[in-house]
Amino acid sequence: MKQSPQWIYEQVYCQRGDIEIASKNCMTSRLIAPVAPASGQPVSRPTTAAAYVLMQELALRAAGTACARAQVGMLRERLLKLGARVLVSVPRVVVHLPASFPFLPAFRRVALALGAATG
């Protein structure tokens, strides 16, 4: 190999460790379970991968909010598990959040960063 030991450590070894830690974080926060809770059937790898990518995108888009340094469990509780009235029409989906929703600024910022429109 032509790379220095320092480069290999920082660019290969540490990156692998970060991915393993993130994966473990997803598993321990019950976002990604090997078995579906309702049916007891194994969850497919594409479903697991999609959940992982979703959480990574939420974490990236939450920068500068109260959820900026949140781990998977907290992101799930603050941005995904919420009571809202959802209206679906052909061109759009409208989400009405309660006025008492404590993470409205973080939710709004993440939604706009993911391409939502105000209206």
Side-chain angles (χ1 to χ4, degrees):
M1 289 188 141
K2 295 180 181 181
Q3 290 83 14
S4 70
Q6 181 70 26
W7 184 90
I8 292 171
Y9 174 76
E10 291 174 355
Q11 300 301 318
V12 178
Y13 184 77
C14 289
Q15 297 291 327
R16 183 187 58 82
D18 291 345
I19 291 169
E20 287 180 6
I21 290 169
S23 177
K24 185 177 180 181
N25 184 14
C26 286
M27 290 294 211
T28 59
S29 67
R30 295 180 186 229
L31 170 71
I32 302 173
V35 175
S39 65
Q41 297 296 318
V43 177
S44 70
R45 286 188 181 168
T47 303
T48 301
Y52 180 78
V53 169
L54 170 67
M55 296 314 294
Q56 290 298 311
E57 285 298 313
L58 286 177
L60 288 172
R61 303 293 200 258
T65 70
C67 300
R69 301 195 40 84
Q71 293 183 349
V72 171
M74 188 175 290
L75 287 172
R76 181 174 176 239
E77 288 176 8
R78 292 184 177 181
L79 301 177
L80 298 178
K81 289 178 71 175
L82 47 102
R85 187 168 50 107
V86 178
L87 303 174
V88 179
S89 63
V90 175
R92 64 185 180 168
V93 174
V94 180
V95 179
H96 295 277
L97 296 167
S100 61
F101 182 55
F103 304 105
L104 184 60
F107 184 88
R108 180 176 284 132
R109 185 167 178 164
V110 170
L112 291 172
L114 290 171
T118 60

